[in-house]
Amino acid sequence: MSRKASRKEVGAADERVTVRDVAARAGVSATTVSRVIKGDYPVAQATRARVLRAMRELDYVLNVHARALSGASTKMVAFVLDDVTGPSFAHVAKGVEQQATAEGRLCMVCTTHGDPARELAIVEAMREQRADAVILVGGGTLDDTYRERMSHFAHALDKAGSRLVLCGRPPLGDDVPTTVVEYDNEGGAYAMTSHLLSQGHRRIALVGATADDLSTTRLHRVRGFMRAHESFGVPHDPDLVVPAGFDRADGYDAARRLLALGAEFTAVFAATDMVAIGVLAALREAGLRVPEDVSLSGYDDIPFAADLTPGLTTVHIPTEELGRTAVRLALNRQDRQHVVLGTHIVVRDSVRPPARRA
């Protein structure tokens, strides 16, 4: 009987090749096949080779659900983010995928569309699937109910031998078992605001964040903005702190609202580079030049920030390093489990001292 015929008969009888089918083909027990699949027990090299050959010949497909029920790892890292189209997220994802591959893991990408309830549901689903790590990227929310639920899942993942990783967001608490890989978000905002103030700007608009925002990312950036004003002894005008989302359209709409109010400002600090691009469009539409009339800065240092005209002065986040570090620490827990990566200003052509009035 040919191998092809044998495989066809198995498929016709059961529709799915089982561990017992593989064991029969390899001439070993079903327990030995399971040990080869799990990789959690020593098996002689020759025996392992026979089992793997039988799996290939029978086109055996691992039942991931059954493996999860058995308590075995699925050799998978889950990467959970707001939106796959965000430039910064894409580079964090690249770092996650590179390190996951180096660690012999597959990478599953899940999107939340900014919905905290969906994020919680994804974390619960990944726990049930026994992912080796669940990596949450981007700012979290300060809502108490959300934090309680996420803390519960962190403990549940830890109990199951998995790990919740907070990437680019602060810890949930000292007693919550998580891996935390964040960057100096507030420090970056402080440095950029200080740069604008040192250039002589005293009326700086912050577009994309508010002091009572529940997003951890926005909250830390506005704190850095306000702290810099305090350090320089310059009062900030609350009317120049304009709430907005993190996209180009949000920046454009926010800048138009600011201009419609007739507010006086000589510089704009946008909460993200994408917001800055929207602000730039609105300023030009209003006949204002950057940086001759208004200085403009951003946050993230996305790849095409340098290609804008003028090149955008911004805060650099080590996005790929964030992703790589998140996976490495989650899978190697003997290492320190809370790391803060540095940020720094990238000075280009969009900021200059304010023009003197005649």
Side-chain angles (χ1 to χ4, degrees):
M1 182 184 294
S2 70
R3 290 176 178 173
K4 183 179 290 186
S6 176
R7 192 167 85 183
K8 186 178 290 186
E9 286 182 8
V10 170
D14 300 315
E15 296 185 351
R16 180 190 289 269
V17 179
T18 68
V19 167
R20 292 183 183 278
D21 298 324
V22 175
R25 170 60 70 90
V28 299
S29 68
T31 300
T32 298
V33 174
S34 295
R35 287 172 175 172
V36 171
I37 292 172
K38 292 182 180 180
D40 61 352
Y41 196 89
V43 177
Q45 188 63 35
T47 302
R48 176 181 171 81
R50 288 208 312 276
V51 171
L52 293 176
R53 183 170 62 249
M55 290 171 66
R56 289 194 301 270
E57 291 172 353
L58 295 176
D59 200 20
Y60 174 75
V61 178
L62 180 65
N63 187 331
V64 176
H65 182 63
R67 186 172 185 177
L69 291 176
S70 73
S73 163
T74 54
K75 300 292 183 181
M76 177 182 69
V77 169
F79 177 70
V80 185
L81 70 163
D82 182 6
D83 180 5
V84 294
T85 63
S88 294
F89 289 146
H91 284 268
V92 177
K94 181 179 179 181
V96 167
E97 196 279 331
Q98 287 176 340
Q99 190 65 33
T101 299
E103 300 275 358
R105 303 305 199 275
L106 293 176
C107 184
M108 174 181 286
V109 178
C110 309
T111 57
T112 66
H113 309 295
D115 182 357
R118 178 174 171 80
E119 184 176 76
L120 289 165
I122 290 172
V123 173
E124 183 173 21
M126 290 302 100
R127 178 181 66 86
E128 293 172 355
Q129 291 296 316
R130 291 193 175 270
D132 288 331
V134 181
I135 302 173
L136 307 181
V137 179
T141 177
L142 298 177
D143 177 74
D144 289 340
T145 301
Y146 166 88
R147 290 175 62 85
E148 288 174 8
R149 290 275 289 162
M150 193 59 77
S151 297
H152 166 77
F153 285 132
H155 283 285
L157 285 165
D158 186 66
K159 186 177 180 180
S162 181
R163 193 69 169 179
L164 181 67
V165 185
L166 307 178
C167 185
R169 63 175 72 179
L172 291 168
D174 293 338
D175 60 337
V176 182
T178 56
T179 297
V180 180
V181 183
E182 53 182 329
Y183 55 91
D184 191 5
N185 200 350
E186 181 177 333
Y190 176 87
M192 180 56 75
T193 308
S194 297
H195 175 65
L196 294 171
L197 290 166
S198 67
Q199 290 287 305
H201 294 281
R202 293 297 180 265
R203 301 280 297 172
I204 305 171
L206 176 64
V207 177
T210 59
D212 58 352
D213 205 311
L214 290 180
S215 163
T216 55
T217 299
R218 295 188 180 98
L219 179 62
H220 285 92
R221 291 181 190 179
V222 75
R223 282 177 178 172
F225 174 81
M226 295 172 70
R227 186 160 61 88
H229 278 81
E230 292 171 1
S231 295
F232 276 73
V234 176
H236 78 277
D237 185 347
D239 291 337
L240 294 181
V241 179
V242 186
F246 276 177
D247 295 330
R248 180 190 183 282
D250 299 319
Y252 175 79
D253 291 340
R256 289 196 64 185
R257 293 198 307 271
L258 190 63
L259 291 165
L261 292 173
E264 292 186 8
F265 55 92
T266 61
V268 176
F269 180 12
T272 71
D273 290 347
M274 293 302 295
V275 169
I277 292 171
V279 171
L280 178 62
L283 291 174
R284 284 177 172 168
E285 189 177 273
L288 296 172
R289 301 165 300 164
V290 173
E292 292 85 355
D293 300 316
V294 178
S295 287
L296 176 64
S297 64
Y299 205 121
D300 289 339
D301 195 23
I302 58 178
F304 50 83
D307 299 328
L308 295 173
T309 303
L312 183 65
T313 293
T314 185
V315 178
H316 176 80
I317 299 174
T319 48
E320 289 187 28
E321 186 180 355
L322 277 170
R324 288 193 298 269
T325 304
V327 175
R328 179 175 56 80
L329 295 186
L331 300 181
N332 300 278
R333 292 178 213 164
Q334 68 273 19
D335 297 335
R336 187 160 53 97
Q337 292 296 298
H338 187 176
V339 174
V340 180
L341 302 180
T343 55
H344 63 267
I345 294 176
V346 179
V347 177
R348 298 192 177 103
D349 303 322
S350 63
V351 173
R352 67 166 55 170
R356 292 185 178 182
R357 294 184 178 180

